[in-house]
Amino acid sequence: MNIYGRDTVEQYRGRELYERPPHLFAIADAAYKAMKRRNKDTCIVISDFKAVADAMKVIGFTSDEVLTAYKILATILHLGNLTFGVDGDVILIENPKVVSVMADLLSTKEESVEKALLYRTVATGRDAMYERLFCWIVGRINDIIEVKNYDARVHGKNTFCINYCNEKLQQLFIQLVLKQEQEEYQREGIPWKHIDYFNNQVIVDLVEQQHKGIFSVLDEACMNVGKVTDEVFLQGLNGKLAKHAHYTSRK
């Protein structure tokens, strides 16, 4: 299957990230456009497959659950390879071998997959499958946390890091979907109803800004001579962030 040839490259050139099925070329083109827009270097971070598998194992996912997640992701990727045709008033799938592969991944019959693709009875497609998989993973993690009697007051650092990751993901969504899309539409003169949104960059900076952010204050507290305590850390936070609009001290 030719998925890296010149024709495939052209399908992703100049397109927005979510216009085409998932592909390395989509990520590369988005990074190139971001580099031109911002006039500075950019990079692509690719997660290590083993690291993801190890993380799921540590969290508590069983081998069967991990395999199920991978099969669903593989099915979503195969959706992008489907092609449809028309015979009179009838819509047909032109490459039934892909349907066969998807049916095998989903442990179901080919007829069931074909019916779901050709006759809409419920929400289907990549977005719906991604959403259901994401919600299942989140629900599974929540179940594991409840079973292990997770207490945010005891695991404050873990909770903080989770919230920080959520803010970074939100910022990525804002940059890729909202900010860049609206700027692109404005440059091209496309009619567009502006969407107001809270840019959480100020929250991200509160955590990671050099010499001023929470992480930097924590590093400084840990380098102090003598015993490092929560009070030392809190004093550092209050000294540098007391006037920050989004910081509230526990003191």
Side-chain angles (χ1 to χ4, degrees):
M1 185 179 295
N2 183 18
I3 60 174
Y4 296 107
R6 173 59 60 181
D7 291 342
T8 306
V9 172
E10 294 302 325
Q11 290 178 17
Y12 288 89
R13 190 189 302 277
R15 297 279 186 171
E16 292 301 328
L17 191 61
Y18 301 104
E19 287 188 55
R20 295 289 184 182
H23 199 289
L24 177 62
F25 293 156
I27 302 295
D29 192 75
Y32 174 70
K33 287 190 292 186
M35 181 177 63
K36 291 205 314 182
R37 289 170 180 170
R38 300 170 187 170
N39 195 29
K40 62 180 181 180
D41 294 341
T42 188
C43 66
I44 302 173
V45 178
I46 301 176
S47 298
D48 183 24
F49 179 82
K50 185 177 183 302
V52 174
D54 290 343
M56 295 182 75
K57 183 178 180 181
V58 169
I59 292 173
F61 284 85
T62 66
S63 298
D64 288 341
E65 288 174 334
V66 174
L67 181 59
T68 297
Y70 290 157
K71 284 185 175 181
I72 293 175
L73 288 174
T75 301
I76 294 172
L77 294 176
H78 279 291
L79 278 172
N81 296 327
L82 286 171
T83 56
F84 297 87
V86 178
D87 183 9
D89 295 331
V90 180
I91 300 176
L92 303 173
I93 297 175
E94 296 180 336
N95 45 351
K97 288 185 178 180
V98 178
V99 176
S100 177
V101 173
M102 292 170 59
D104 184 60
L105 289 168
L106 297 174
S107 300
T108 188
K109 298 179 180 179
E110 293 183 32
E111 294 80 6
S112 299
V113 176
E114 185 173 342
K115 182 179 179 180
L117 293 168
L118 296 179
Y119 306 97
R120 181 173 180 178
T121 55
V122 295
T124 59
R126 291 195 302 272
D127 292 343
M129 295 183 72
Y130 271 129
E131 180 182 3
R132 293 189 65 181
L133 178 61
F134 176 79
C135 291
W136 174 77
I137 291 175
V138 171
R140 186 71 181 90
I141 293 174
N142 288 337
D143 291 340
I144 294 169
I145 290 175
E146 290 177 4
V147 169
K148 294 185 177 180
N149 296 320
Y150 183 90
D151 189 339
R153 295 171 296 179
V154 177
H155 301 83
K157 183 183 72 173
N158 295 339
T159 303
F160 172 75
C161 290
I162 291 171
N163 290 336
Y164 169 59
C165 288
N166 288 336
E167 294 295 340
K168 290 288 286 187
L169 289 172
Q170 177 67 16
Q171 180 61 22
L172 179 64
F173 174 80
I174 289 173
Q175 288 291 334
L176 293 180
V177 179
L178 295 178
K179 187 173 184 294
Q180 290 186 13
E181 287 288 335
Q182 293 192 146
E183 291 176 352
E184 185 76 19
Y185 280 21
Q186 290 173 357
R187 281 194 298 269
E188 296 183 6
I190 299 174
W192 174 258
K193 183 179 180 180
H194 182 78
I195 299 176
D196 293 324
Y197 58 89
F198 171 68
N199 189 338
N200 71 331
Q201 183 63 53
V202 64
I203 305 297
V204 174
D205 290 341
L206 173 63
V207 177
E208 66 180 16
Q209 189 174 11
Q210 290 187 355
H211 310 302
K212 294 182 179 180
I214 294 174
F215 283 148
S216 292
V217 176
L218 179 60
D219 288 340
E220 291 178 6
C222 292
M223 289 187 292
N224 283 339
V225 178
K227 186 178 180 180
V228 178
T229 64
D230 292 344
E231 288 72 21
V232 172
F233 179 39
L234 182 59
Q235 288 175 7
L237 291 174
N238 292 337
K240 290 194 174 183
L241 301 174
K243 296 182 179 179
H244 195 287
H246 298 278
Y247 171 77
T248 302
S249 176
R250 295 286 295 273
K251 188 173 181 180

